[in-house]
Amino acid sequence: MSSIIDAVNAANSAGSSSTKTSASAEMSDRFMTLFLAQLQNQDPLNPMENAEMTSQLAQMNMVSGLETLNESMQTLLGSYDEALSLQAANLVGKNVLVPGDDLTLSESGSLFGVNLEGPADKVEVIIMDSTGQEVARQSLGQQDAGSWAFYWDGTKSDGEKASTGSYTFSVSASLDGEPVEAKALQAGTVSALVRGTNGFLLEVAGLGNVTLDDVKQVF
């Protein structure tokens, strides 16, 4: 006697109702209808054994359970997406640090950041102009692991004031003479929230679109 699950699959392949209810409820209804028909039409001389009935009921419960789990996951993902959009919207107008080595100097100075994979007793930043020439060098001293924001007032290594405009910078760090992985973080202001194909993106003025995962610090 063929499995009731095969019968359900065959019924699914034959067609579907134009008015759809829950897929799980529809499958359960089909199962019960076919299961009862199978019991009513079984061979009296060769009735279905209890073990076979239990097996088919267990299969149906598994299919129904997976369907219910899938529906719950879809609901959960929808709630998560909504919460994520609210969180992202709250960042509009805020300053953030994201991966990058660009630095814009204004009359009031410039913010930048450093991300350290581990603690360091020596962290140094080299600021360069558009030609790649060193303009200034800053020692940031001892720092713990994590992301940190720093400020450059525009003073060059020779004591003169640097011209406002665009610069780049590099970061190096070490602990007891051993290198520590360090990444440059550039600062920008979130101007808008953008829905991308893979989720929400933040539009950062002058930097383009970044993901929420790219944001290392908000201030």
Side-chain angles (χ1 to χ4, degrees):
M1 186 176 295
S2 62
S3 169
I4 196 68
I5 298 300
D6 293 335
V8 171
N9 289 334
N12 285 335
S13 299
S16 59
S17 172
S18 58
T19 303
K20 292 186 177 180
T21 58
S22 166
S24 178
E26 184 179 347
M27 182 174 289
S28 296
D29 290 342
R30 289 184 180 180
F31 168 79
M32 291 308 299
T33 299
L34 292 170
F35 187 69
L36 290 174
Q38 188 175 2
L39 288 177
Q40 292 170 355
N41 294 286
Q42 63 182 327
D43 185 353
L45 300 178
N46 185 28
M48 184 187 300
E49 296 183 0
N50 288 338
E52 186 177 355
M53 293 174 61
T54 302
S55 174
Q56 293 190 17
L57 286 170
Q59 290 180 60
M60 188 59 220
N61 284 335
M62 180 180 295
V63 172
S64 179
L66 289 174
E67 179 66 25
T68 301
L69 178 61
N70 182 61
E71 291 176 356
S72 298
M73 286 298 297
Q74 292 300 321
T75 301
L76 182 62
L77 287 173
S79 299
Y80 175 75
D81 189 54
E82 182 178 352
L84 202 60
S85 67
L86 291 174
Q87 179 186 7
N90 288 333
L91 292 177
V92 175
K94 300 289 184 65
N95 294 317
V96 295
L97 289 178
V98 298
D101 59 1
D102 291 330
L103 184 155
T104 301
L105 179 65
S106 65
E107 292 293 343
S108 59
S110 180
L111 288 172
F112 64 93
V114 174
N115 179 263
L116 299 174
E117 291 297 319
D121 55 21
K122 182 180 180 181
V123 181
E124 191 171 59
V125 171
I126 298 176
I127 300 170
M128 295 156 286
D129 61 20
S130 59
T131 66
Q133 294 296 311
E134 180 180 327
V135 173
R137 184 181 294 253
Q138 278 190 288
S139 177
L140 306 180
Q142 182 175 333
Q143 302 293 334
D144 292 327
S147 299
W148 308 98
F150 298 98
Y151 172 75
W152 179 44
D153 63 4
T155 302
K156 300 191 295 184
S157 297
D158 59 10
E160 295 293 323
K161 193 73 172 181
S163 301
T164 58
S166 298
Y167 295 83
T168 59
F169 68 102
S170 62
V171 183
S172 61
S174 61
L175 178 65
D176 296 329
E178 293 296 322
V180 174
E181 185 175 353
K183 296 180 180 179
L185 301 175
Q186 57 192 25
T189 303
V190 179
S191 58
L193 177 64
V194 180
R195 182 185 288 275
T197 55
N198 296 319
F200 289 98
L201 298 173
L202 299 174
E203 184 179 285
V204 181
L207 305 182
N209 294 337
V210 300
T211 67
L212 285 172
D213 289 340
D214 287 330
V215 176
K216 304 304 180 183
Q217 191 175 123
V218 181
F219 53 93

